[in-house]
Amino acid sequence: MDAFRTACSRLAEHPFVQGNFEQEKTLSRLDRSLKSSGFFLIAADMGMVWDTVRPFPSTLTLGKDYLIQTRPSGQKTVISAQGNETFVRMADVIGAVFSGNSQGLLENFDVYYNGAGAAWELGLSPRDGAIGSFMERIIMKGDTAIRSIRIYEQGGDTITYIFSNHSYPAELSAHEKNLFSLP
């Protein structure tokens, strides 16, 4: 547990993290996968942004209790999380993962951790019914930053994220802050 808490505290050292992502969603029933790529931004106290460049430009902002889909034209669609327990719990989990909140992870998951040197692998199996209805488990790998996440969904599908080119700005730009603003 000490090594797990140390790895989590290293992740929490940076309130803002940005970089590139590649996502692959594998649809088991169709035996095919969908790929996308772009840029990510994580603000520990605000949420996260997926700025997808390929195959189709779009921006998705996940806040604590809302989701904003922004089209290339600038048009924003807001979805409230009110009344959606699964969404609220997933937002909490994502925030706990990227902010290094070890206690939040331990409260919601059975956790396994393997580490060698700076490299580590973290497995999370949900204890919470709302989270468990969506996913079977999460496997993350990293070192001083999260390098990959694989989500195993209940239906047999998987989502894999590969993160690269991490940077840690001291503060967000006006444009980045605006991504979290409700219209």
Side-chain angles (χ1 to χ4, degrees), residues 67-99:
L67 183 114
I68 303 172
Q69 179 75 43
T70 307
R71 290 178 182 46
S73 65
Q75 177 189 3
K76 291 184 177 185
T77 303
V78 178
I79 300 170
S80 172
Q82 267 188 334
N84 186 335
E85 181 65 19
T86 301
F87 179 91
V88 171
R89 301 300 295 148
M90 284 304 298
D92 288 345
V93 168
I94 290 169
V97 166
F98 283 102
S99 66

Side-chain angles (χ1 to χ4, degrees), residues 39-170:
F39 307 98
F40 73 91
L41 167 65
I42 299 158
D45 61 342
M46 299 169 82
M48 61 190 317
V49 175
W50 299 102
D51 186 12
T52 303
V53 176
R54 289 180 197 89
F56 306 105
S58 71
T59 303
L60 180 70
T61 302
L62 176 63
K64 300 253 182 227
D65 58 358
Y66 63 87
L67 183 114
I68 303 172
Q69 179 75 43
T70 307
R71 290 178 182 46
S73 65
Q75 177 189 3
K76 291 184 177 185
T77 303
V78 178
I79 300 170
S80 172
Q82 267 188 334
N84 186 335
E85 181 65 19
T86 301
F87 179 91
V88 171
R89 301 300 295 148
M90 284 304 298
D92 288 345
V93 168
I94 290 169
V97 166
F98 283 102
S99 66
N101 179 353
S102 61
Q103 191 57 40
L105 295 174
L106 291 169
E107 288 172 6
N108 292 295
F109 294 92
D110 290 324
V111 175
Y112 82 80
Y113 177 86
N114 291 315
W120 51 263
E121 179 177 292
L122 174 66
L124 304 170
S125 296
R127 284 192 220 149
D128 180 272
I131 299 168
S133 68
F134 168 71
M135 76 173 72
E136 188 178 297
R137 71 184 180 282
I138 301 172
I139 305 292
M140 296 187 298
K141 295 180 181 181
D143 41 47
T144 57
I146 297 173
R147 302 297 174 183
S148 69
I149 298 176
R150 178 167 286 165
I151 301 170
Y152 295 84
E153 295 179 350
Q154 287 296 351
D157 298 344
T158 60
I159 304 171
T160 303
Y161 297 94
I162 305 295
F163 302 103
S164 60
N165 299 320
H166 295 72
S167 64
Y168 308 97

